Amino acid sequence: MPEYTILTLIGIAAVIGWELGWARTGVFGSVRYWLTMVIVFFFQIWVDGWLTKLSAPIVNYDPAQLSGIRFPWDIPIEDFGFGFAMVTLTIICWIRLGPKEHR
């Protein structure tokens, strides 16, 4: 399996495992979190789609490091997993390290 795909899957599993096993912020049960993710993915589709379009890419990936699945348009599917892990980890840390009344 390609490196970027493996690292993306590890990142997703690590963030979910950390939330469910240690942080326990309840973020996955929050409507605000899921609305945030909809907004993130909406903009990620437009920006990432523009950056990675195969017809005129600004960002080039080594095809050997990807699964080869691109959706929608030409976005490598791994980018969504990476975005999910990055944004979710940031939100979890924000909640855990923020004021106690928000936990």
Side-chain angles (χ1 to χ4, degrees), residues 18-74:
W18 189 55
E19 166 59 20
L20 298 177
W22 180 77
R24 299 176 194 238
T25 64
V27 74
F28 295 136
S30 166
V31 172
R32 286 192 302 176
Y33 167 76
W34 292 110
L35 287 174
T36 299
M37 294 309 291
V38 166
I39 293 167
V40 166
F41 287 134
F42 173 79
F43 286 102
Q44 183 176 1
I45 288 169
W46 291 105
V47 173
D48 206 353
W50 174 64
L51 291 172
T52 62
K53 63 185 173 188
L54 293 174
S55 62
I58 294 170
V59 176
N60 287 305
Y61 290 97
D62 179 357
Q65 301 305 318
L66 298 170
S67 66
I69 301 169
R70 290 178 171 260
F71 175 82
W73 300 301
D74 296 328

Side-chain angles (χ1 to χ4, degrees), residues 50-102:
W50 174 64
L51 291 172
T52 62
K53 63 185 173 188
L54 293 174
S55 62
I58 294 170
V59 176
N60 287 305
Y61 290 97
D62 179 357
Q65 301 305 318
L66 298 170
S67 66
I69 301 169
R70 290 178 171 260
F71 175 82
W73 300 301
D74 296 328
I75 302 169
I77 198 75
E78 291 87 352
D79 283 3
F80 292 103
F82 175 78
F84 167 83
M86 180 180 62
V87 172
T88 301
L89 180 61
T90 301
I91 291 170
I92 292 168
C93 289
W94 187 280
I95 293 169
R96 290 288 295 169
L97 298 173
K100 294 208 187 284
E101 65 266 12
H102 295 295

